Amino acid sequence: MSKNVLILMGSPRKRGNTSILCEEFARGAQEAGHRVETIYVARKKIGGCLGCNGCQKNGGTCVQKDEMAEVYEKIMAADVIVLASPVYYYTWTAQLKAVIDRTYALLATMHNKVFYMVSTCMSPDESWCAMMIDSFRNYLACYDETVTEGGYVFGFGTGEPGDVRGSEAMGKAFEMGKAIR
Ligand SMILES: Cc1cc2nc3c(=O)[nH]c(=O)nc-3n(C[C@H](O)[C@H](O)[C@H](O)COP(=O)(O)O)c2cc1C
């Protein structure tokens, strides 16, 4: 069955390594017949969560009126969501973290999603990415059991845009997208 795949691309570099890796994931998913949309969240005006708990009292609507409104709609319509971010000081970019925090409004309403993580980093291997993986998994654990992990991929040793090309991660990202069921 054809799925709606939403990529939340959190690098400020639109043509950088994370974006390139996401394109491979998208290519695989499209080849398998799925619809893919990418939102470059760093290009959007999305404020950080205010912690006002308004959303928890009003059925899940954030009090802030900004470009997160469109992201909420697309998250709710998606079957598959990709959290894509380079590693910045061992974790997400601030831009993607703002989106993640704003999904606090969806704590009671977000169901039936499969999440993937696509990431790149300067570090040479996964031993440097434990915080990223923990953060990804612990994030998913905050939702109900219908919100699950599909997998993750890291492009290692990437500094300049394009460094990820030709790496093992490219094939892994493609296959991961293609394997979406
Ligand atoms: C502010 C900043 C912090 C970074 N922190 C890390 C880090 O903690 N670990 C790491 O391996 N690479 C780190 N990097 C390197 C980037 O993760 C890496 O170059 C990545 O491929 C950039 O992705 P992009 O090309 O999609 O922008 C950092 C880069 C920047 C700009």
Side-chain angles (χ1 to χ4, degrees):
M1 202 185 78
S2 179
K3 299 273 168 79
N4 283 332
V5 179
L6 176 66
I7 300 177
L8 299 173
M9 220 294 287
S11 173
R13 295 202 295 198
K14 198 175 177 189
R15 302 297 318 137
N17 297 298
T18 313
S19 193
I20 292 167
L21 211 47
C22 285
E23 280 165 17
E24 282 306 286
F25 184 97
R27 209 166 59 79
Q30 281 160 344
E31 208 170 286
H34 305 301
R35 293 174 296 274
V36 182
E37 181 171 5
T38 301
I39 301 181
Y40 297 92
V41 300
R43 303 280 163 111
K44 302 267 176 207
K45 294 219 169 348
I46 296 174
C49 174
L50 300 174
C52 67
N53 271 333
C55 60
Q56 304 303 308
K57 295 172 196 149
N58 70 13
T61 302
C62 183
V63 301
Q64 293 189 71
K65 303 296 168 225
D66 61 9
E67 292 184 287
M68 187 64 195
E70 171 201 341
V71 182
Y72 283 133
E73 265 181 37
K74 300 219 158 133
I75 286 175
M76 293 314 266
D79 306 297
V80 172
I81 297 173
V82 179
L83 299 178
S85 171
V87 178
Y88 272 17
Y89 291 103
Y90 297 90
T91 187
W92 318 100
T93 60
Q95 293 91 335
L96 187 65
K97 184 59 163 58
V99 170
I100 289 171
D101 288 353
R102 294 284 295 279
T103 63
Y104 184 58
L106 308 180
L107 267 181
T109 55
M110 187 165 74
H111 309 291
N112 301 311
K113 315 277 176 209
V114 181
F115 277 77
Y116 290 81
M117 175 170 66
V118 171
S119 182
T120 64
C121 60
M122 187 58 108
S123 303
D125 61 53
E126 199 170 305
S127 65
W128 299 87
C129 303
M131 259 183 73
M132 232 16 217
I133 298 165
D134 276 0
S135 179
F136 175 55
R137 292 194 165 147
N138 288 326
Y139 170 67
L140 299 185
C142 294
Y143 294 85
D144 72 11
E145 67 288 349
T146 68
V147 173
T148 59
E149 176 185 337
Y152 62 81
V153 58
F154 285 98
F156 300 112
T158 55
E160 293 305 314
D163 281 353
V164 75
R165 287 192 199 284
S167 73
E168 210 177 287
M170 295 287 278
K172 191 173 173 192
F174 176 82
E175 292 303 332
M176 210 174 251
K178 200 171 167 187
I180 293 170
R181 293 282 170 269

